[in-house]
Amino acid sequence: MLCQFCQKRIATVHFTQVVNGNKVEMYLCEQCAKEKGQFSFGSPFGFNDFFPAIMELNQGPSYSAVKSNVQVCEKCGMSYEEFQRVGKLGCSNCYTLFGELLKPLLKRLHGNTQHSGKVPENVSRNINTSKEIEALQELLNKAVQREEYEKAAEIRDKIRALERDKGK
Amino acid sequence: MKGTVNEKGPESDVVISSRVRLARNLKDYPFPFKMNKEQQNEVLNIIKDSVLNDNDPLLKDIKYYGISSLNPVERQALVEKHLISRELAESQKESGILLSSGEKVCIMINEEDHLRLQCIFPGMQIDKAWDLCNSMDSMLEKKVKFAFDDHYGYLTCCPTNLGTGIRASAMIHLPALVMTGYIKGVLDACGKLGVAVRGRYGENSEASGNIFQISNQMTLGLTEEEIITHITNVTFQIIEQERALRNELYKQNPIRFEDKVFRSLGVFSNARTISTEESLKLLSDVRLGVDMGIIKNISMDTLNEIMLLIQPANLQKYARKLLNPAERDVMRAEVIRLKLSQNGQPTKGD
Ligand SMILES: [Zn+2]
Ligand SMILES: [Zn+2]
């Protein structure tokens, strides 16, 4: 995610502040977060500061690291902070772990986040099998509703066989 | 080894070669920079074995070379031929390449990704390069499980390659666009079209022999065929512009045009010592002369062979000894004269 203030660097800090009884949340980069911290009156956000909610404001802003930022990939030891430094991911699992944080970057790089090209044969076979199982499942439900138990048992066997295949 | 670039292909008056590269990773291993030595060796062996122990005709003339078994000159020579990256040549990892005898296929193992499958064809044949890459990829996926995600597609170490993992490119010679300054407009337009254009031998386009590499930037969200079609269309537009400008330049002042070409040929074929930079510059003029039919007795094959041999490492490989820069300049001039004379006497003009 990009810093919501400068729109340039990647956000690493989750910034919350209560202004006029409203909780304001922002994702900021480290640099912007530091600057914000020095003038905790909510002016940078364009809120009206002249109202009596000053007391609440004085609670000051609270910071917490963006959740995924402190997470480390259990498969390869990569942290999001390391990714930002080297620009590379460590393993397949990193894509799952940092997925949401990566999306804005992918959008910027490719204008898209969903693959539409080639699919490996074993994967597309699995996708087809899943679709087939789904269709059979529907037939099964209908058969049960109609109390055609013999037919239902037949369909159930087919589904089991397909599921075994898929697991391979 | 007679490289691809020594053959002539379609649109060879502008396009020197076409290439398609696919980035792939094995499902059960971290990406190369996160692997330990043991994992690096495992991945290397899995890929090596699945390619070498196969009777498929596509793979039959492929040989393996471990990077650590090659000396620095051999590695550099492969970089100059554009078969491997500088990163792989300098790699401390357990890495290697699978190279076909015609150098049409080159697979880098344990570069940034576990596999970088590349197919290279002479002239404008990006579609053919893709077809071959695609069939090799399909064959490999029967033996190894690639890291693939339903949403993101093929998973790559760098997000810039994610999805299709494809980089389709053409190496193009654009002397007229550079000479007229129109190249800047072309570069700007390409940037807006999601197409990257880089100088082949560095930033200074004249010093790099007016040779550029054009390639797709986006890899996610489009099909491989869409990417190939897009880069092909953009390249053809550049080809047409370059051709029109060449003809226009000639028409405006044929004598000056021929004079430039033949003066360059004169120095190129008679120099006794010459730097890489100067020879690439002159080569560009000579190539233009041959493309336009002004220089008659030199074949494009000869020029392509010279283009490879004049680079420092390939030159030393050819000479079969290490040479210091001054010795290289002498050797380079010698090789150019030899190759041109073997081709037959260059025309000295009417
Ligand atoms: Zn910021
Ligand atoms: Zn990881």
Side-chain angles (χ1 to χ4, degrees):
Chain A
M1 179 184 297
L2 282 183
C3 170
Q4 291 180 308
F5 191 70
C6 67
Q7 298 287 334
K8 279 187 201 126
R9 291 172 289 264
I10 291 176
T12 54
V13 179
H14 184 188
F15 178 98
T16 28
Q17 186 171 20
V18 179
V19 181
N20 298 344
N22 296 316
K23 201 167 147 202
V24 179
E25 282 187 281
M26 278 198 112
Y27 290 87
L28 301 175
C29 70
E30 222 159 294
Q31 206 162 318
C32 292
K34 253 183 222 150
E35 284 163 20
K36 298 278 154 305
Q38 286 162 8
F39 43 99
S40 57
F41 277 80
S43 51
F45 305 115
F47 278 87
N48 190 339
D49 310 318
F50 303 102
F51 280 93
I54 293 281
M55 288 304 289
E56 274 175 322
L57 258 178
N58 286 347
Q59 291 172 350
S62 74
Y63 295 93
S64 65
V66 173
K67 191 167 156 256
S68 303
N69 190 41
V70 291
Q71 266 178 310
V72 166
C73 174
E74 60 192 22
K75 294 261 163 60
C76 72
M78 186 101 186
S79 66
Y80 191 69
E81 182 275 324
E82 187 185 355
F83 164 69
Q84 285 182 287
R85 210 158 15 87
V86 300
K88 296 174 181 181
L89 290 146
C91 73
S92 306
N93 188 52
C94 289
Y95 277 102
T96 316
L97 184 64
F98 304 126
E100 285 308 310
L101 289 163
L102 285 173
K103 274 186 181 153
L105 174 71
L106 295 175
K107 192 103 194 150
R108 208 152 21 101
L109 286 171
H110 304 286
N112 219 315
T113 62
Q114 172 72 52
H115 175 62
S116 66
K118 186 173 180 177
V119 175
E121 215 180 79
N122 63 328
V123 176
S124 64
R125 210 184 314 121
N126 269 353
I127 293 172
N128 287 339
T129 311
S130 304
K131 279 184 192 150
E132 209 175 320
I133 291 174
E134 249 171 66
L136 284 172
Q137 198 73 51
E138 219 161 282
L139 285 181
L140 176 65
N141 292 343
K142 274 182 196 153
V144 172
Q145 271 169 19
R146 292 194 205 111
E147 301 187 358
E148 298 168 350
Y149 295 114
E150 220 166 288
K151 199 176 170 192
E154 231 171 75
I155 299 172
R156 196 176 294 120
D157 287 346
K158 267 190 202 159
I159 293 177
R160 285 198 184 129
L162 284 174
E163 268 167 352
R164 264 200 305 279
D165 266 2
K166 209 180 141 189
K168 269 178 199 166
Chain B
M1 288 191 279
K2 191 178 155 77
T4 297
V5 81
N6 287 350
E7 290 169 40
K8 203 171 151 177
E11 327 301 334
S12 65
D13 58 325
V14 180
V15 183
I16 297 167
S17 63
S18 305
R19 153 193 318 254
V20 169
R21 181 221 75 192
L22 293 177
R24 295 286 184 261
N25 287 285
L26 302 190
K27 187 168 173 271
D28 300 318
Y29 290 87
F31 302 144
F33 83 110
K34 284 287 184 188
M35 290 198 291
N36 58 36
K37 282 271 168 219
E38 202 185 318
Q39 292 170 313
Q40 290 169 18
N41 268 316
E42 282 173 33
V43 167
L44 193 65
N45 288 326
I46 290 171
I47 296 171
K48 209 167 92 181
D49 291 347
S50 56
V51 172
L52 295 179
N53 301 330
D54 196 292
N55 298 321
D56 195 289
L58 277 179
L59 303 174
K60 75 174 191 309
D61 64 343
I62 288 181
K63 277 207 179 79
Y64 174 77
Y65 305 88
I67 291 298
S68 55
S69 73
L70 300 171
N71 68 44
V73 171
E74 288 172 317
R75 283 183 227 176
Q76 186 54 33
L78 290 168
V79 175
E80 288 172 0
K81 284 183 174 178
H82 233 204
L83 289 170
I84 70 171
S85 62
R86 196 163 300 279
E87 189 185 344
L88 189 74
E90 289 163 3
S91 172
Q92 299 301 311
K93 291 191 288 258
E94 300 297 322
S95 51
I97 57 166
L98 290 154
L99 186 62
S100 74
S101 63
E103 298 182 356
K104 267 197 173 66
V105 177
C106 181
I107 303 173
M108 293 191 271
I109 310 173
N110 286 345
E111 203 238 21
E112 188 179 274
D113 296 298
H114 294 148
L115 273 119
R116 286 283 177 96
L117 179 59
Q118 312 176 94
C119 294
I120 307 132
F121 280 69
M124 187 60 192
Q125 303 192 71
I126 297 181
D127 50 347
K128 282 225 176 92
W130 158 242
D131 287 344
L132 181 56
C133 245
N134 190 19
S135 2
M136 296 202 59
D137 176 58
S138 298
M139 199 159 41
L140 283 171
E141 80 180 21
K142 288 190 186 113
K143 304 175 176 197
V144 294
K145 277 213 171 109
F146 289 137
F148 183 89
D149 179 272
D150 290 346
H151 190 79
Y152 293 130
Y154 291 96
L155 301 176
T156 54
C157 181
C158 184
T160 51
N161 298 314
L162 190 65
T164 54
I166 201 173
R167 191 75 67 219
S169 62
M171 214 204 278
I172 44 183
H173 182 225
L174 306 175
L177 280 163
V178 173
M179 236 182 274
T180 53
Y182 287 133
I183 189 74
K184 213 195 152 290
V186 170
L187 299 187
D188 288 348
C190 284
K192 284 181 196 125
L193 292 168
V195 167
V197 186
R198 297 185 194 85
R200 165 69 173 89
Y201 301 98
E203 291 311 305
N204 181 343
S205 48
E206 208 187 328
S208 53
N210 300 321
I211 292 171
F212 296 83
Q213 168 124 350
I214 175 167
S215 63
N216 65 299
Q217 279 175 320
M218 272 88 100
T219 56
L220 181 65
L222 296 165
T223 66
E224 289 81 356
E225 284 76 14
E226 286 168 333
I227 291 169
I228 301 288
T229 304
H230 183 57
I231 196 81
T232 303
N233 289 344
V234 173
T235 306
F236 266 106
Q237 282 182 34
I238 297 175
I239 294 172
E240 289 314 320
Q241 285 187 42
E242 169 67 23
R243 280 180 184 152
L245 276 175
R246 286 180 188 182
N247 291 330
E248 186 56 34
L249 282 172
Y250 185 81
K251 229 171 59 196
Q252 274 177 15
N253 199 334
I255 295 294
R256 209 174 63 192
F257 197 102
E258 291 192 12
D259 185 66
K260 181 176 162 72
V261 164
F262 279 108
R263 275 171 189 272
S264 293
L265 177 61
V267 176
F268 197 59
S269 52
N270 288 293
R272 293 306 192 255
T273 168
I274 192 166
S275 68
T276 311
E277 197 181 315
E278 188 186 3
S279 52
L280 282 171
K281 204 173 133 192
L282 296 173
L283 180 62
S284 174
D285 291 344
V286 175
R287 181 184 279 277
L288 179 62
V290 173
D291 287 336
M292 301 277 292
I294 298 166
I295 298 172
K296 300 228 159 56
N297 296 333
I298 297 177
S299 73
M300 201 42 78
D301 284 1
T302 302
L303 292 184
N304 284 334
E305 194 184 358
I306 291 173
M307 184 174 72
L308 278 182
L309 286 176
I310 56 181
Q311 299 175 78
N314 279 289
L315 188 67
Q316 294 178 77
K317 241 186 105 189
Y318 178 84
R320 290 172 192 279
K321 60 183 174 203
L322 292 174
L323 304 165
N324 67 37
E327 292 168 336
R328 287 208 288 267
D329 289 352
V330 174
M331 184 52 145
R332 185 173 296 114
E334 219 170 279
V335 167
I336 294 170
R337 291 202 311 277
L338 177 75
K339 289 293 163 190
L340 286 178
S341 70
Q342 283 172 351
N343 185 86
Q345 287 302 303
T347 334
K348 295 276 191 258
D350 303 284

